[in-house]
Amino acid sequence: MRRLIVVIALAVTGSSPAAQENAPFGEHTIWLRSAASQWDHAFPVGNGRMGAMVFGTVNRERIQLNEETLWMGGPRDTDNPEARTALPEVRRLLFTGQPREAYALAERKLMGKPWRLESYQSLADLRLNFDHEGDATDYQRSLDLDAAVARVTYRLDGVRYTREVFASHPDRVIVVRLTVDRPGALTFGAWIDRQQDARTEIAGTDRLNLIGHLGGGKGLSFLASARVILEGGKQETFPERILVSDANSATIIVAAGTSFRGHSHGSQVDRDLTRAAAKTYAQLLEAHRADHQRLYRRVSIRLGTARSGDLRSNAPTDERLEAVRRGAIDQGLDALYFQFGRYLLIASSRPGDLPANLQGVWNDSMSPPWDADYHLNINLQMNYWPAEVTNLAELHEPLFDFLESLRPPGRKTARVHYGARGFVAHHITDIWGFTSPGDLPRSGLWPTGAAWLTQHLWEHYLFAPDRAFLARGYPVMKEAAEFFLDYLVEDPKGRLVSGPSVSPENRYRLPNGQVGILTMGPSMDHQIISGLFTQVIKASEILDVDEVFRAQVAAAQKRLPPPTIGKHGQIQEWSEDYDEPEPGHRHISQLFALHPGDQITVRGTPELARAARATIDRRLAHGGGHTGWSRAWIINFFARLEDGEKAWENYQALLAKSTLPNLWDLHPPFQIDGNFGGTAGVAEMLIQSHGGEIHLLPALPRAWADGEFRGLRARGGVEVDIAWSGAKIVKATLRPSISGMFRVRTQGAGEARSVSLVAGTPYSLR
Ligand code: FUC
């Protein structure tokens, strides 16, 4: 059924005295009229390494803090020497139709020892107690994505109170600023706490320390410190608290660190605090703003005719979401969610740091869902889908460093578990280099985690072809490919297949009714491996190395089963055309080749593209897309199928069904991958550049018939700006960084046109 397009009038916020006093928010601001009643409604700020969640409660502010390296546990040897001996028998059982027996044996012999990860943990809470009397009016809580500042403001007893919080990357601290519009009206108490493994102390007159050691002294040690700097008023210290009275304003600077990788975090925290405290608030804010905007402002976007400052963008974000749930079109919200994904990547993934985990850097728990770890069977990769296309390429770096750190342990796992060369990682990992098959076999016995991750190196190269980068990435790609040369086995039909493995987390039914999980030859594995092989072959040609190895890879690639169409017209998920007990499963792994892979394309492989659509339709018809990241993936799939309406419909479903009032993605629970996948999906609707062409507005929906963007990137080193109206391009500008011939496709045109681009010279198309 066609979706009814209903535009619902929203409350006119400009008419109340409160809103008159507060300036209307622009297109970059998420805002609410209430404090966060729960952690995942608070506003996130982050500097890549540290994160903070701002609740905005009037009387008691809670600023929940994170430091990305604060993980339980430590490096350990989890490889299982029994695996290699049991491997041939598990394969035999699967080849002879005995998946249940294979599973039982795999569970006993093939998994890491132990197979469980330890957890990423919350660092601490900074608490501010205001002891206000009476009720606040004119309350607003906002997150300005362009300034990267969270702000809380309200009026109480004739005084306007304002809190601003940001996480500075250049100054390595979190800054909290408290102001009042009546001199001397600021009175509050401040302390830091943590529910376990830490104690607090006061140092001098103005510093709070939280000193901790995880696991009762066995794990990492850590320190979180806050300095309180006043203008006016006075400051007293009580055990574990600083009390401020009658001040004009206060700046609280928070620094933190852990002993991860032998780091001397105590002196680093001292240094960070001292340096930041030597600056004025205005200086800290200015350095932060400049640093953030250098990244954030590379891309601007307008979808539809809505401009900032119109009625709808002035409504609080939860009301806008509610309107979308009722069927309203809010193109400003479409754009805001897109930019929020970019904001979150800037806040959680800076060069030199760890990559964004399942929750970015934000986590308030000692045992968060899935340990807030790194899942490699879609989630970590999805976090980085927007990095290249939305012009944040350097934020991809933490992923490359992380992948590099998995090589030594992954090499050992390859040898111990499979007797193979190369390196391997399975479906979960942590900051300690866990590469063994973890968790239960149903999810964890899946050897293509590293192989998928390495494709990010190749993508980074494609977006900015740079031989030096390729030379750095190639050994990693090669080593991932080497593993599969040894690991793949011949099946009874003479094909080379991967296994024992899974089609991530899904199950199939054998003709005799038996349900299987482990399998030989899941389609996704072969698509990932084939993609890796293609890339390794191309990279070795470009670098002119490894001719013999290249030939071996090419020979193995020819023997991998290609994507096959099954009896429902779908892309087959397993090596045989099995049915599945859960046809609406959240993973749609057999479409890797459509996205993020590029083996299936609308014009290159039209039959497979039709089968890909049938696959998604079948999933959706059975309730698929029910987790945030699954829905986000579907947006990307439909964009690749050049179906703007379906992509947009699923984008609306992501907003309506899987989005919290602060615009965070809901699995449920909160999981950040859907935010990043949603942002990537919007970009994919507006520009694509796989398959040897730059395709302008490949999947434009009716709701975005007018619009413009600036600064998205295409493969080949090209930045693109497009303005369009009535679904027609008014002007497109390509800004190449490399000279060469490019094929450019515009909507409706039968053939892509060839254009010759000169590095540094913009090329306009009307
Ligand atoms: C994958 C998914 C789950 C969840 C978990 C963190 O294993 O199957 O839905 O997102 O990662």
Side-chain angles (χ1 to χ4, degrees), residues 287-324:
H288 163 66
R289 193 195 58 75
D291 167 73
H292 173 76
Q293 289 178 350
R294 184 180 55 81
L295 296 163
Y296 184 80
R297 290 194 170 175
R298 286 178 190 166
V299 173
S300 65
I301 192 163
R302 173 172 62 82
L303 299 172
T305 46
R307 293 200 174 269
S308 68
D310 76 342
L311 281 189
R312 200 181 306 277
S313 51
N314 282 345
T317 308
D318 52 350
E319 288 178 21
R320 296 173 80 175
L321 277 172
E322 189 45 45
V324 166

Side-chain angles (χ1 to χ4, degrees), residues 183-204:
L186 183 64
T187 294
F188 67 96
W191 69 101
I192 303 187
D193 60 19
R194 188 180 204 267
Q195 54 177 270
Q196 63 193 47
D197 292 334
R199 65 185 169 82
T200 45
E201 61 166 36
I202 298 276

